[in-house]
Amino acid sequence: MNCPMNLSIITVTWNNEKQLERQLKSVVSGCKNLEFEQIVVDNASADKTVEIVKTMSNVKVIVNTENKGFSHANNQGVEISSGEYLLFLNPDMKVEEGSLDVIVDWLEKRKDVGIVSPRLVDENGKLNEDAKPRRLPRVWEQVALILKLPHIFPKMMDKYLMKDFDGDKEQEVDSVRGSFMLMRREVVEKLGFAFDPRYYIWYEDVDICREVTKMGLKVMYSPVITAVDYVGQSFKAQESMWKQKNFTRSMLTYFQKWEAWYKWMWIWLARPIGILLVYLKNKNCLFIIDFFVILITIVFVFRYNNLFFWTIDGLAVLGSIIFFLVSIHTFSKKRKILSVVLIFASLISLLVSLWSGYQSRDTKFQIIDLKISKENEYYVYKYKLKSDGVRTIPKFEIAFCPDLPIDYVGINNEQDIRYSEELICSNGNYGGKRFVNFEPRDVEIIVRTKNIIDGYYISPMK
């Protein structure tokens, strides 16, 4: 090779004192015949990461006082590098002895390849599912991720996560993971960067793979070597809200760059919902809100039967499901069981509400008692009614002979009346009264008139 330096290994660190030394030593053993350099860019670590790097010989280090993100730090490393090939290697990686010689030689022989990544395994030697290549993300899949839907329907992500991937087969792929990414320098020279600086963290690896494909080069997976990927050790210390905000921000940036507005707008709309769900989960508010929604529903669902409370029932179901989605991977076993119970309770409440509404459409009434008395010049009729409805009837009407003048129609439990209106007959006489939203079971309707009533009807209103 004409270039004095074959390979530049660039590693971005943030509080990686426990993993970094192992990685740096493995890189040395991984390069037997290569001219190589190691560059570490530290993003304002608060632990002893920088101290460990400075104890290692022949390692260049850039110490940032501010964490400006993964993309920015990698680009800083590229600026001081001199290798013909660039290896972006996470601090929680471990490469095998002599393996970097092999994969650099592999890339040198394939001029049509811009990026290659090897077989990444876990510490037990098994193919690491979280570090496999992935297909390019689609909008609906990413919206589902934001809303935690794959926790309930895991197979919906199978295509995106390449569940059919054969780790023993060399193949061209849409994207490889940024934890081990070997790149030709000409890619950086054409683009002006290794990773688009608009990405703080996440999606920068998918983006560069798409850029490489756009310039006519291939993105390849090759099991020619194996490396151990311990996956995201730094991020385990980060708060879930920080992760959600940065993950969804980068997701939105990616789709705004590569897709039309009518696609990325769905990410923009779903993002605040995802952040809110994480906030409620962190504050333990989601459980409290959902619990009271269910409690209110159970209380009112057996008292009222109309569209408003059917809607409340539906929201209770939705709230329970959201609570379950958020809690499934974070809460204790008891809380998960409780979330399932809440879902079933709200579903039962909704079904009972709808069923009783269906049953009540043909509700019949019967007079179980009639008392007639005389008060001065008035006849007072007290009708005691009973309905065969399952629960309450939203609208109820009592009317009398159209030509019969009636002085007053009332109901004994006035506190249950939500709305009433007079029924005026075509001839101008008072024909009765319509009552809305009250319980018609075992109620007493009082009619006062100077005439003898010889005709009436009582029925639920449609």
Side-chain angles (χ1 to χ4, degrees), residues 64-101:
N64 291 322
T65 58
E66 179 184 356
N67 189 344
K68 294 185 178 180
F70 185 77
S71 295
H72 177 81
N74 272 308
N75 291 335
Q76 283 182 290
V78 171
E79 289 176 2
I80 65 169
S81 69
S82 56
E84 182 180 359
Y85 300 99
L86 303 168
L87 174 59
F88 299 98
L89 189 68
N90 277 4
D92 52 2
M93 294 290 301
K94 181 183 177 182
V95 299
E96 295 180 344
E97 185 175 353
S99 60
L100 297 183
D101 295 48

Side-chain angles (χ1 to χ4, degrees), residues 249-311:
R249 181 185 292 118
S250 292
M251 181 190 296
L252 181 58
T253 299
Y254 172 83
F255 282 98
Q256 286 177 328
K257 176 177 179 179
W258 294 102
E259 303 292 347
W261 70 268
Y262 56 84
K263 292 185 178 181
W264 62 253
M265 67 171 286
W266 297 107
I267 305 292
W268 181 79
L269 290 171
R271 184 171 181 253
I273 300 174
I275 293 173
L276 177 62
L277 291 177
V278 173
Y279 174 81
L280 292 174
K281 186 267 296 182
N282 288 346
K283 297 296 183 180
N284 210 24
C285 292
L286 196 59
F287 166 73
I288 297 172
I289 292 172
D290 195 67
F291 176 78
F292 279 105
V293 169
I294 298 298
L295 183 63
I296 291 170
T297 301
I298 292 173
V299 170
F300 282 97
V301 78
F302 292 104
R303 182 171 179 82
Y304 299 105
N305 181 23
N306 57 32
L307 181 61
F308 174 76
F309 286 101
W310 292 347
T311 304

Side-chain angles (χ1 to χ4, degrees), residues 115-134:
I115 291 175
V116 63
S117 186
R119 178 186 176 92
L120 302 180
V121 299
D122 59 24
E123 52 192 313
N124 298 315
K126 184 179 179 181
L127 183 66
N128 198 319
E129 292 293 325
D130 293 329
K132 291 188 317 185
R134 295 181 181 178

